[in-house]
Amino acid sequence: MFSSRPAVHPVEAPPMTDAAENPQGVRMKDFPGMPGTLGGLLLRIAQFVFAVAALSVMASTSDFTSVTAFCYLVAAVILQSIWSLSLAIVDIYALLVKRCLRNSRVLSLFTIGDGITSTLTFAAACASAGITVLIGNDLNICAENHCASFETATAMAFISWFAVSPSFLLNFWSLASR
């Protein structure tokens, strides 16, 4: 009986290429705003400055403690300012020693921290904005309260959130592209 037999055909190895032509892992370049860059440091400084401004303006009023949303805003911007100052110091260190902050653990920490602080700051700013609208437009009792200070602190908290959002998105993108 005749049965078919498999035929083995030799396969040629691909031609050897220079490693410089085809690098093994191409890394994403540093975009301004990522950790360890000058843009990242500027974003951290902006976050810190606007969070401290919101804290200062809100703390300058005597009756912010009577509204829970304003107390929440103060707590959120305190956390935001501490987080932003800490990461600004890390960015300064990375820039001075020319260190890349692309470690996946470091990026995970930065991403989670930015996500938490940005969510808290945004929620506190929204709650405070709702209360300022209630006091100013609905109840018409701005003469008895510090409406301008409340509105200024709320605006500073929103600007701080606008500054932390690019940091979070760039960190998340860098972490997801690994």
Side-chain angles (χ1 to χ4, degrees), residues 60-122:
S60 69
T61 64
S62 59
D63 58 348
F64 82 89
T65 56
S66 62
V67 179
T68 307
F70 295 152
C71 293
Y72 177 47
L73 178 73
V74 168
V77 296
I78 286 173
L79 180 66
Q80 179 67 49
S81 61
I82 291 170
W83 177 253
S84 298
L85 181 63
S86 301
L87 292 188
I89 291 170
V90 170
D91 279 343
I92 290 171
Y93 173 76
L95 286 171
L96 288 176
V97 297
K98 296 181 180 13
R99 217 37 225 251
C100 180
L101 296 176
R102 286 286 182 80
N103 185 348
S104 64
R105 289 184 182 174
V106 172
L107 276 176
S108 297
L109 177 71
F110 286 5
T111 304
I112 291 168
D114 281 344
I116 290 170
T117 57
S118 69
T119 303
L120 290 175
T121 303
F122 183 69

